[in-house]
Amino acid sequence: MIRIDLQIDLTYEIDGAGADFVFNIHAAQTPNQRVSTENLTLNQPISPRMYTAPGTGNRYLQLHAAPGALSLGYSAQIDLMHHLADPVKIAEVPVCDMPPEVIGYIYPSRYCQSDLLIKLANNEFGKLTQGYSRVQAIQDWVKRHVTFALNSSNTNTSAIDTLIQRVGVCRDFAHLMIALCRALNIPARFATGTDYGADPTLGPPDFQAYVEVYLGYRWYIFDPSGTGIPMGFVRFGTGRDAADVSIATVFGAVRTHAAVIRAVAVENSANGMVLPYFCDEALSTDSSTMPAASEFTQSSEQPLLW
């Protein structure tokens, strides 16, 4: 088990009549990611509203802040109990067998124009053996062809932009990998978290964008930017791309200060807690969605009519 003590501090200066915010900084509750304790502090006398999106489990904080300084602090203790699997045994899921909630992740989206990358994806990866190894090859291709550089992109940068410019940050790596997967009918989604284990030369700890790919009836973690240790990522939200899971969406005249993030792993061998490490196994913090055998067959007594 991996235990992460997380602290996030956000600071804003608000002008005018105030501003509205929607945050997605609360750790998600998944079958293999348990939030044991958490606390939210605000310097203004605000009554925020919390809600959980039914389809994704993303947890959102909505509030209205008055003019002046707004300071928000979120702390949590999260236990990660990863599902580990042998990559060789993980197959791609045929479109006809994908659950309805997964189908949407094979379509193009605002930042992941997979329909424009079908030829490239097939030329580079179409002849590879299908399964986890093919997705690994896509991740490795993105790592080789894109250089990580801070402040090299903006909120309008898409997968196509990154492919052309060959430079970006973790968000851009994720969008390009997602687009290439979807071009091959492999469901892939954008995930946000924290960059545990990132090289200090890249700057202070920050939020992390990575990829989850649907293989073997489960969402598996990939880090195309290669800037962190995936086993230490704490998931906040998942969506089609960054437009669905912004860390903070702001409505109003607001000046944003740099976030201060602290993610510390707790080591306690007596209680089975280990530090995050790079591993060869496939990692997931989701449960399997393998359907019952009966769902794969159509009864001859109930013909399907169109």
Side-chain angles (χ1 to χ4, degrees):
M1 182 177 72
I2 307 293
R3 172 166 289 179
I4 301 291
D5 284 337
L6 181 65
Q7 176 69 44
I8 299 172
D9 293 301
L10 304 176
T11 306
Y12 303 90
E13 293 180 33
I14 304 168
D15 297 329
D20 294 306
F21 294 81
V22 179
F23 295 100
N24 180 206
I25 58 169
H26 282 69
Q29 294 271 19
T30 77
N32 294 76
Q33 177 173 293
R34 182 179 65 222
V35 182
S36 54
T37 63
E38 61 182 352
N39 184 57
L40 178 73
T41 59
L42 294 162
N43 71 321
Q44 292 193 16
I46 299 171
S47 297
R49 183 176 71 167
M50 282 291 306
Y51 63 95
T52 301
T56 61
N58 297 345
R59 303 170 66 201
Y60 295 100
L61 173 71
Q62 184 178 353
L63 59 86
H64 177 80
L70 171 67
S71 296
L72 181 153
Y74 172 73
S75 60
Q77 186 174 86
I78 302 103
D79 291 334
L80 301 168
M81 298 152 287
H82 296 91
H83 169 81
L84 282 77
D86 182 354
V88 175
K89 299 179 181 179
I90 303 174
E92 294 177 24
V93 179
V95 174
C96 62
D97 292 336
M98 292 177 188
E101 64 272 15
V102 171
I103 291 291
Y105 295 102
I106 59 174
Y107 299 148
S109 62
R110 175 179 176 182
Y111 294 111
C112 302
Q113 309 100 313
S114 52
D115 51 329
L116 302 180
L117 297 178
I118 293 174
K119 183 176 180 179
L120 171 64
N122 277 287
N123 286 342
E124 293 288 341
F125 317 108
K127 296 181 181 179
L128 299 181
T129 302
Q130 294 189 12
Y132 188 97
S133 63
R134 181 157 76 150
V135 177
Q136 186 75 49
I138 296 172
Q139 174 185 261
D140 294 344
W141 188 94
V142 173
K143 284 183 179 180
R144 290 196 308 272
H145 289 82
V146 181
T147 300
F148 188 94
L150 295 174
N151 304 314
S152 58
S153 62
N154 56 50
T155 56
N156 293 318
T157 302
S158 70
I160 297 298
D161 297 324
T162 301
L163 181 64
I164 294 171
Q165 297 163 6
R166 301 299 174 104
V167 66
V169 294
C170 57
R171 161 194 165 117
D172 307 308
F173 283 75
H175 282 153
L176 181 54
M177 179 178 173
I178 290 168
L180 289 169
C181 287
R182 292 179 188 171
L184 296 168
N185 298 323
I186 303 172
R189 66 189 186 186
F190 189 91
T192 56
T194 46
D195 64 349
Y196 180 90
D199 188 336
T201 62
L202 298 176
D206 203 350
F207 297 111
Q208 175 82 1
Y210 57 101
V211 178
E212 292 189 344
V213 180
Y214 190 75
L215 297 161
Y217 299 97
R218 190 187 296 267
W219 291 101
Y220 286 96
I221 297 170
F222 291 85
D223 178 28
S225 70
T227 56
I229 303 176
M231 194 178 282
F233 293 170
V234 173
R235 186 210 292 178
F236 296 157
T238 58
R240 294 167 299 173
D241 55 34
D244 286 345
V245 283
S246 174
I247 295 296
T249 306
V250 183
F251 305 87
V254 175
R255 292 185 298 281
T256 303
H257 295 273
V260 178
I261 298 172
R262 174 182 173 271
V264 178
V266 178
E267 186 175 21
N268 188 329
S269 57
N271 291 329
M273 299 174 193
V274 299
L275 298 180
Y277 59 91
F278 290 105
C279 66
D280 294 328
E281 292 90 351
L283 292 173
S284 175
T285 55
D286 267 342
S287 58
S288 172
T289 58
M290 173 71 76
S294 60
E295 296 183 41
F296 286 111
T297 60
Q298 180 69 36
S299 171
S300 59
E301 299 177 0
Q302 299 288 335
L304 188 61
L305 301 179
W306 297 94

